[in-house]
């Protein structure tokens, strides 16, 4: 059974203890040049890009700015594509795969410069991120990936043999790793608050509780019917990712919400933290659970996230599953209590890659598939520039795709119920069996 400290109610992110999302009081204007729908990382970045290009911008948020994935994620800073070069080449062509790898370093540089330029105080630190190979064959795949990364980009990457993993993490679970020393960490809720403040400094209205309920056309303008009334705009940027709802069915059927669950331990002794994670890296796995974990910015807790389920489940069940996985990595935490458990939605595409584009006069950036901390604001800026016709909108992510799939014919991703069973009862067990034989 999971033991709790009683510090927080289930559902409250640990990040909110420092910065809790707050509703804005801005009113809704009747017109603008660019309407941005969504006030998370993507939307706020799009608003800054469009405003700084000379447009009159309004941001409409369905709820409270930042209460979604932007203040619920792991705070890991990296821009490397989640797919291998071979898979990207098969999906999009070799030239696009080359360009996607080549864009990783500029995207990461953009994020670091953005934080510095906007003076965002978000506990940003270059920690490096290590991807841990769960099986020997996955480590062999990391070797091939490292070769491609070095060949196709200027991203720094280092292979970590199993015998050397002790310098990064104290566990016998993994067969090696891939280290990206330029990657980093931040506090996601502080990051969002800093972005929101940057938008407000520019005089851009951010309207809370203004869900867009319908979109119509009036001559050359688009009219968005919101919960706070109508607004007319020349252009629209959709920045809702895993929180997309009607009337945007085209996007709903291409990007689906996949829940990610995170637990936080109670405060741990400093010497235990140093023993568990001597490298103080951001850490992710190669196995299909997509576990990701780190030490909290204050250096006192372990934050552990990933796929406890592929659909919404009660948080106490998710916490038990995440705790079990965490103890597989670090048996020393078997007696540690949990202080927080929460979840948020990643916007996943069937291509497992983000896309920037335009459909029916609506520009968008979405489908970040778990890489939103850097890619959401970076590609949000691209979408903002796309809306105003700025040449800086150019990106290889405009040449990816958001394909539909026969398993997802409607608005809601009902297929995730079956997928959850397949992954938990077959894929996870098959990977565990392969790991034991490695």
């Amino acid at each position: 059974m999971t033991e709790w400290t009683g510090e927080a109610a289930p559902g409250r992110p640990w990040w909110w203890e420092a910065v809790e999302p707050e509703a804005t009081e801005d009113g809704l204007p009747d017109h603008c040049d660019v309407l941005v729908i969504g006030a998370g990382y993507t939307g706020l970045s799009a608003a800054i890009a469009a405003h700084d290009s000379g447009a009159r911008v309004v941001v409409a948020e369905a709820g409270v700015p930042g209460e979604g994935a932007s203040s619920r994620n792991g705070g890991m800073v990296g821009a490397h594509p989640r797919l291998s070069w071979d898979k990207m080449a098969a999906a999009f062509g070799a030239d696009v795969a080359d360009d996607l790898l080549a864009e990783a370093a500029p995207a990461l540089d953009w994020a670091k410069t953005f934080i510095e330029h906007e003076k965002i105080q978000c506990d940003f630190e270059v920690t490096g991120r290590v991807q841990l190979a769960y099986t020997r064959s996955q480590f062999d795949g990391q070797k091939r990936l490292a070769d491609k990364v070095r060949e196709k980009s200027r991203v720094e990457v280092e292979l970590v043999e199993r015998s050397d993993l002790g310098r990064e993490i104290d566990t016998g679970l993994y067969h090696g790793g891939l280290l990206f020393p330029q990657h980093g960490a931040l506090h996601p809720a502080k990051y969002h608050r800093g972005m929101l403040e940057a938008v407000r400094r520019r005089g851009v209205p951010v309207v809370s509780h203004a869900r867009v309920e319908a979109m119509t056309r009036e001559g050359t303008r688009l009219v968005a019917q919101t919960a706070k009334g109508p607004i007319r705009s020349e252009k629209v940027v959709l920045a809702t990712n895993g929180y997309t709802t009607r009337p945007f069915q085209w996007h709903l059927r291409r990007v689906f919400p996949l829940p990610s669950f995170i637990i936080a331990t109670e405060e741990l002794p400093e010497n235990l933290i140093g023993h568990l994670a001597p490298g103080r890296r951001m850490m992710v796995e190669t196995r299909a659970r997509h576990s990701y974990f780190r030490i909290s910015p204050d250096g006192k807790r372990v934050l552990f996230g990933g796929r406890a389920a592929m659909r919404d489940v009660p948080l106490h069940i998710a916490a038990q599953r995440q705790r079990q996985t965490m103890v597989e990595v670090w048996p020393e935490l078997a007696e540690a209590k949990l202080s927080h458990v929460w979840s948020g939605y990643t916007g996943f595409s069937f291509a497992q890659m983000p896309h920037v584009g335009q459909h029916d006069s609506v520009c968008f950036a979405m489908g970040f598939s778990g890489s939103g901390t850097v890619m959401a604001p970076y590609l949000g800026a691209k979408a903002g520039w796309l809306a105003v016709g700025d040449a800086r909108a150019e990106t290889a992510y405009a040449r990816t795709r958001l394909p539909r799939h026969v398993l997802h014919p409607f608005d809601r991703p009902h297929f995730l119920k079956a997928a959850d069973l397949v992954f938990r009862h077959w894929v996870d067990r098959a990977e565990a069996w392969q790991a034991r034989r490695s």
Side-chain angles (χ1 to χ4, degrees):
M1 295 293 292
T2 301
E3 293 191 47
W4 297 90
T5 64
E7 287 183 56
R12 180 179 176 83
W14 180 78
W15 308 116
W16 290 12
E17 303 304 334
V19 177
E20 186 167 355
E22 297 177 351
T24 54
E25 301 298 328
D26 297 345
L28 184 75
D30 60 6
H31 68 280
C32 62
D33 296 326
V34 178
L35 173 65
V36 177
I37 301 172
Y41 294 159
T42 311
L44 296 178
S45 182
I48 291 171
H51 171 274
D52 290 358
S53 295
R56 293 172 299 170
V57 181
V58 174
V59 181
E61 164 59 43
V64 174
E67 69 179 352
S70 294
S71 65
R72 295 172 176 272
N73 63 82
M76 298 187 180
V77 179
H80 181 71
R82 66 179 295 114
L83 297 182
S84 67
W85 183 91
D86 292 337
K87 290 182 178 179
M88 291 190 295
F92 314 119
D95 290 344
V96 176
D98 285 352
D99 291 344
L100 289 168
L101 277 182
E103 197 165 345
L108 184 58
D109 290 345
W110 181 93
K112 293 176 179 179
T113 300
F114 177 72
I115 291 170
E116 181 179 3
H117 182 264
E118 299 296 339
K119 298 180 173 60
I120 298 176
Q121 303 300 311
C122 59
D123 302 329
F124 173 71
E125 183 182 3
V126 178
T127 59
R129 175 162 55 171
V130 60
Q131 182 192 69
L132 299 159
Y134 186 60
T135 68
R136 182 69 198 184
S137 63
Q138 289 170 349
F139 185 51
D140 292 338
Q142 287 182 327
K143 294 177 181 179
R144 294 190 294 272
L145 176 59
D147 290 339
K148 283 293 184 182
V149 169
R150 295 187 185 107
E151 176 188 352
K152 304 290 185 179
S153 76
R154 56 180 177 84
V155 172
E156 292 182 21
V157 60
E158 302 172 14
L159 277 170
V160 184
E161 296 288 343
R162 188 171 195 173
S163 58
D164 297 324
L165 269 185
R167 74 185 191 216
E168 307 294 348
I169 180 172
D170 182 60
T171 183
L173 192 64
Y174 303 109
H175 289 259
L178 199 59
L179 173 64
F180 297 90
Q182 296 171 313
H183 288 194
L186 52 71
H187 188 298
K190 291 181 180 180
Y191 186 35
H192 179 271
R193 179 62 61 86
M195 292 178 66
L196 180 60
E197 291 172 351
V199 170
R200 303 296 295 282
R201 283 197 303 269
R202 288 165 166 83
V204 173
V206 179
V207 188
S208 299
H209 303 298
R211 180 183 299 278
V212 174
E213 299 166 342
M215 290 283 296
T216 57
R217 186 173 291 280
E218 187 178 88
T220 60
R221 287 190 164 193
L222 293 168
V223 182
Q225 299 291 339
T226 81
K228 289 191 172 179
I231 179 170
R232 292 162 175 80
S233 65
E234 300 295 333
K235 291 287 186 179
V236 169
V237 175
L238 184 64
T240 48
N241 201 40
Y243 294 80
T244 304
T245 58
R246 291 191 177 194
F248 303 102
Q249 285 95 332
W250 187 91
H251 305 83
L252 265 176
R253 293 166 184 172
R254 289 162 172 81
V255 175
F256 54 91
L258 193 66
S260 184
F261 300 88
I262 306 182
I263 55 174
T265 68
E266 62 184 338
E267 291 190 4
L268 302 172
E270 184 177 356
N271 62 339
L272 177 59
I273 291 284
H275 170 71
L276 298 177
R280 294 297 179 98
R281 309 288 192 185
M282 301 296 97
M283 292 167 278
V284 298
E285 290 185 331
T286 57
R287 62 173 156 173
R289 290 184 187 181
H290 296 299
S291 297
Y292 53 93
F293 37 98
R294 58 172 293 182
I295 306 304
S296 59
D298 62 7
K300 297 179 179 180
R301 304 170 191 257
V302 169
L303 308 181
F304 198 101
R307 175 179 57 79
M310 297 182 75
R311 58 189 179 94
D312 290 326
V313 296
L315 286 175
H316 72 276
I317 293 176
Q320 290 173 1
R321 291 175 181 173
Q322 291 295 65
R323 178 188 178 88
Q324 180 180 5
T325 306
M326 179 180 71
V327 172
E328 287 180 23
V329 177
W330 285 307
E332 297 94 329
L333 295 181
E335 301 302 320
K337 296 180 181 180
L338 302 185
S339 63
H340 298 71
V341 57
W342 69 97
S343 66
Y345 293 117
T346 61
F348 236 82
S349 75
F350 288 103
Q352 300 184 55
M353 293 288 288
H355 182 65
V356 177
Q358 186 170 188
H359 174 75
D360 199 20
S361 300
V362 175
C363 301
F364 62 88
M366 58 177 56
F368 303 115
S369 303
S371 60
T373 308
V374 168
M375 298 311 294
Y378 173 69
L379 295 180
K382 298 291 186 180
W385 287 321
L386 178 64
V388 298
D390 192 304
R392 287 174 291 179
E394 183 178 353
T395 172
Y397 288 92
R399 292 183 281 150
T400 59
R401 296 189 307 277
L402 289 182
R404 289 194 66 178
H405 197 286
V406 67
L407 294 176
H408 185 33
F410 307 112
D411 293 356
R412 294 187 178 183
H414 298 292
F415 70 94
L416 289 178
K417 294 181 180 179
D420 183 56
L421 293 174
V422 170
F423 271 80
R424 286 198 301 112
H425 294 291
W426 188 78
V427 175
D428 291 346
R429 292 179 181 181
E431 275 193 329
W433 177 82
Q434 185 180 9
R436 289 194 298 268
R437 291 176 56 88
S438 297

